[in-house]
Amino acid sequence: MPTHSLLIIGGGPAGYTAAIYASRAGLAPILYQGPQPGGQLTTTTLVENYPGFPDGIQGPAMMETFRKQAEHFGTQIRIGTATSIDCSRTPYRVTIDGQETLATKTLIIATGSSPKWLGLPSEQAFLGRGVSSCATCDGFFFKNQDVAVVGGGDSAAEEALHLSKLCSKVYLLVRKNTMRASFIMQQRLKKTPHISILWNTEVLEVFGKQAVEAVQVVHNITQVQQKLSLKALFVAIGHRPNTQFTQPHLTLDPLGYIQTRPGTAETNIPGIFAAGDVQDHRYRQAVTAAGSGCMAALEAERFLHQ
Ligand code: NDP
């Protein structure tokens, strides 16, 4: 079995940026795209906050430019998903789709995280047409409109506060009569006049023609239903980092994200680096993911030259 210098797992902004840097450094990386080539950005429409695109760019088109740039410098891009790793010996072993095993001296894990969804067919039908998991990305498109956020954690609170600066009204739909969000976030929500918290409230269905026009909600104690007219539904019920295949080797934080040494892309295993949302539940932006992909590639290069 040949030993590769660098494998990159994940085809989002972090993985492709790592690939661009690593291939320019002559490391001949191989990148496996994973189950969603292009990553979460392929589920959004216009990206307006990535520097360098003054008129914005469609998420899938942007990821296509990332892929082309990585290929241009010689990255081998392959279809496949890492299903397990073995770090008990060097070179490390990575198994793809449970079938093919590759040996590598270094590894960059950039498998991202997946937003949790409510699981309603109508929610999935309006994905990218009013249903979103990212207010920072998509809130701007609903300026001066009524919108809703689902969730009761810090993410939902942050999304609602962000949207309150843009939208005319923000419903916050919380399924319990309490929130998990930190005290200070809850205080801020209560002080913001545009935000209306609907407690014990769950979404039953999303309605619309071309895009979202309303959601049907139910009070889960009284069972009283109502239809809220609004233009967007932001689902903020948590993310699931894609780290299952790294176990039991890599150390995860209490939320399941790969733990990196602060200010670096280093994991607990020398030569294995993590970049992007798989190690970041705080910022979760394409530009921060790309930045951390660059860090991971520079560190892999240094490691290989040591
Ligand atoms: P959390 O897991 O903290 O909260 C998820 C929320 O979604 C809960 O209120 C939960 O309700 C609700 N929920 C889950 N499933 C459903 C469902 N099917 N229908 C309706 N509601 C549902 O996730 P977050 O993403 O908010 O936060 C993750 C971590 O990141 C936390 O530790 C948080 O503190 C941190 N974070 C920190 C920020 C900051 O410091 N600025 C910003 C954002 C996140 P229930 O309570 O009923 O289970």
Side-chain angles (χ1 to χ4, degrees), residues 162-285:
H162 174 76
L163 292 165
S164 71
K165 294 177 198 128
L166 303 167
C167 303
S168 40
K169 186 172 183 81
V170 182
Y171 296 101
L172 182 56
L173 312 177
V174 182
R175 69 176 172 183
K176 289 189 183 141
N177 63 356
T178 54
M179 288 185 72
R180 248 192 247 186
S182 51
F183 176 76
I184 187 157
M185 293 296 255
Q186 294 198 43
Q187 292 300 101
R188 279 186 204 150
L189 289 172
K190 282 172 191 161
K191 279 190 201 148
T192 307
H194 293 327
I195 298 177
S196 165
I197 304 180
L198 305 188
W199 302 102
N200 290 106
T201 300
E202 293 179 40
V203 177
L204 292 177
E205 200 169 348
V206 184
F207 296 104
K209 291 186 191 88
Q210 296 305 315
V212 172
E213 290 169 14
V215 295
Q216 186 79 11
V217 297
V218 62
H219 189 281
N220 57 24
I221 307 231
T222 62
Q223 299 307 320
V224 172
Q225 295 192 15
Q226 59 173 319
K227 200 169 184 173
L228 305 173
S229 292
L230 42 80
K231 296 289 187 225
L233 180 71
F234 291 90
V235 180
I237 61 174
H239 280 73
R240 202 172 284 115
N242 300 318
T243 53
Q244 301 82 335
F245 72 100
T246 68
Q247 294 307 287
H249 302 281
L250 294 197
T251 303
L252 307 181
D253 72 11
L255 297 172
Y257 291 77
I258 295 176
Q259 203 157 46
T260 49
R261 196 162 68 80
T264 76
E266 292 169 15
T267 68
N268 59 307
I269 301 198
I272 302 195
F273 305 94
D277 289 11
V278 76
Q279 51 85 57
D280 165 32
H281 62 77
R282 193 183 173 109
Y283 300 107
R284 295 198 297 245
Q285 299 301 303

Side-chain angles (χ1 to χ4, degrees), residues 1-7 30 90-94 101-106:
M1 185 191 302
T3 298
H4 300 286
S5 293
L6 171 63
L7 289 190
I30 299 175
T90 53
Y92 303 124
R93 305 287 203 275
V94 179
T101 298
L102 293 97
T104 185
K105 291 181 195 160
T106 62

Side-chain angles (χ1 to χ4, degrees), residues 112-185:
S113 68
S114 307
K116 294 183 190 165
W117 295 104
L118 299 171
L120 305 168
S122 56
E123 166 197 53
Q124 292 306 304
F126 285 105
L127 210 57
R129 293 187 294 133
V131 172
S132 166
S133 62
C134 180
T136 317
C137 320
D138 299 329
F140 186 76
F141 303 118
F142 303 99
K143 234 175 170 179
N144 303 321
Q145 313 271 10
D146 290 0
V147 300
V149 177
V150 188
D154 280 322
S155 295
E158 252 189 8
E159 304 254 290
L161 289 166
H162 174 76
L163 292 165
S164 71
K165 294 177 198 128
L166 303 167
C167 303
S168 40
K169 186 172 183 81
V170 182
Y171 296 101
L172 182 56
L173 312 177
V174 182
R175 69 176 172 183
K176 289 189 183 141
N177 63 356
T178 54
M179 288 185 72
R180 248 192 247 186
S182 51
F183 176 76
I184 187 157
M185 293 296 255

